[in-house]
Amino acid sequence: MAEKESEKMEKLVSLCKRRGFIFQSSEIYGGINGFWDYGPAGAELKRNLRDLWWQTMTRDRDDVVGLDATIVLHPKVWAASGHVDTFTDPMVDCKTCKGRFRADQLDDTPCPQKPSKCVAACEGEKTEPRAFNLMFQTHVGPVISDENKAYLRPETAQAIFVQFKNVFESSRVKIPFGICQIGKAFRNEVNPRNYTFRSREFEQLELEFFIRPDEAIKALCGTVRQWEEGADLSQPAEDWGWEMWHRYWTEQRLQFCRDVGLPADSLELYWQKEDELAHYAKATVDIMFRFPFGVQELEGVAARGDYDLRQHQAHSGKPLEVFDEEVKAAFAKWSDDQREALVQRKIAEDADAGDAASGPEAVRAWCERLFKGFYLPHVIEPSAGLDRLALAVLAAAYCEEESTDAKGKTERKTVMRLHPKVAPVKVGIFPLLKNKPELVAKAKEVHNLLRRRLTCFYDEGGSIGRRYARQDEIGTPFGVTIDFDTLGNENPDLADTVTVRERDGGTQHRIPINGLADWLAERIG
Ligand code: GAP
């Protein structure tokens, strides 16, 4: 990490504690590695991000519905999803320092005995890497036995697949549509690190968007639109297959990141290479953010085919296919030769898949079901971490400024330039003087008026400059000062008006109290 950036990270961590964004979990007992709490400012920031995600991903759309599933699921879910067998990290032990590390992170993990050295430089002999499953285990009920073993979910996605049929049948939705969910996830990370970036308990924001297989689109539209540079992704179209939907959701997610205040030039895409992709994934793109500790994954958008529903169908024995009348009608127009050509093409593609091939009989059966309008929808999955998003937003907002007061004294101060939409407090409310009851009464009146619509913080302690500075440090975009003009003592024209100061730039406006809530709400968005 470059010196300046590591310094920025230290200052950010210190501000987050000082101003109530993030605390170490169980701090008075020495903390617990990989677990973090959000203080008053952090809880509001997270709630704003969470609400914006929910609003954007479901309420603003006709084609996405929500789900709120349990954290503990039937253990067979995790066998079907592959987590029991393959959700592992390679772990090694150091025979000298006794530390336990991820084998793929030896080069940049500090040695506990010699923190100035990374583990790779520590001369201690390492054990051979072995697979360590990241799922937290628990037991359901009073008996601790293998039959009662359960897991805390390592992702929210699986419950969406498991409840797919219930949602589909109860919600009057049609393919393509999505199910989204927000909730806690737990991973027993070998090396939690970079503050909240890799934690053991965190919150996910996930969407599983279910689409028709490309073969169905071909039957319906005669063609499947291919993505090309500069393609219009603003409006989904009937002839979109998985590739266009994947690009579309990637663009939607990038736009969301920009909308919550992440600068466009701090974001980049990393397309996973063929050998990095999960065997079932058609494509995965990571949205990367320039954190102070390097460019790292913020969220991912994966095209998962029908893998998850297929696995759950096989393991549960319950049919998870949908029936699509339009697809059936489209294939009814095909000749036998056309259908056979499709079967042969799919068999050839399947043979190319090598170990992952399902065999000609299974392929033919899949095609026959499709011709009758039955299929397992394919999935595009934008999957984000709320804690990572909050950290990115905090890091992007952190800024230091120099200001010179009337006496020429220069001061360095911290301003969190949070987007007004995500800022924990939208408006600071300040009576100019706390020992003037008329000012205090008026300020409280303004507070009561605004708090119904906006998160406010009333502060009468210290100089106005100090009060502004305190709000700047938590990113409050507006400060409202109630002064003698508000009381109309000198100039009746200014009665019932207040001074509004903008955090960024310090511009001041004189606004009538009766239009104040609207004026602020319009600027906060
Ligand atoms: N359902 C797909 C899935 O869970 P993932 O890449 O493992 O994919 C998705 O996780 C997102 O969840 C990541 O991009 C990241 O934002 C967040 N995430 C994953 N592990 C995390 C951890 N240990 N701490 C904080 N956030 C994490």
Side-chain angles (χ1 to χ4, degrees), residues 34 83 87 154-158 161 185-189 192-193 196-206 208 272 280 284 286-287 297-300 302 304 381-389:
H83 284 81
F87 195 55
E155 61 173 22
T156 59
Q158 292 306 320
F161 298 123
F186 301 81
R187 296 184 189 179
N188 201 1
E189 299 284 355
R193 59 211 213 123
T196 57
F197 178 83
R198 177 164 290 121
S199 315
R200 288 180 165 140
E201 175 177 339
F202 55 98
E203 209 166 326
Q204 282 191 317
L205 312 153
E206 297 200 284
E208 306 304 324
Q272 288 190 11
Y280 50 80
T284 299
D286 294 333
I287 298 181
E297 177 189 331
L298 182 59
E299 57 177 272
R304 300 174 68 101
E381 179 196 65
S383 170
L386 178 55
D387 308 78
R388 244 176 231 192
L389 181 61

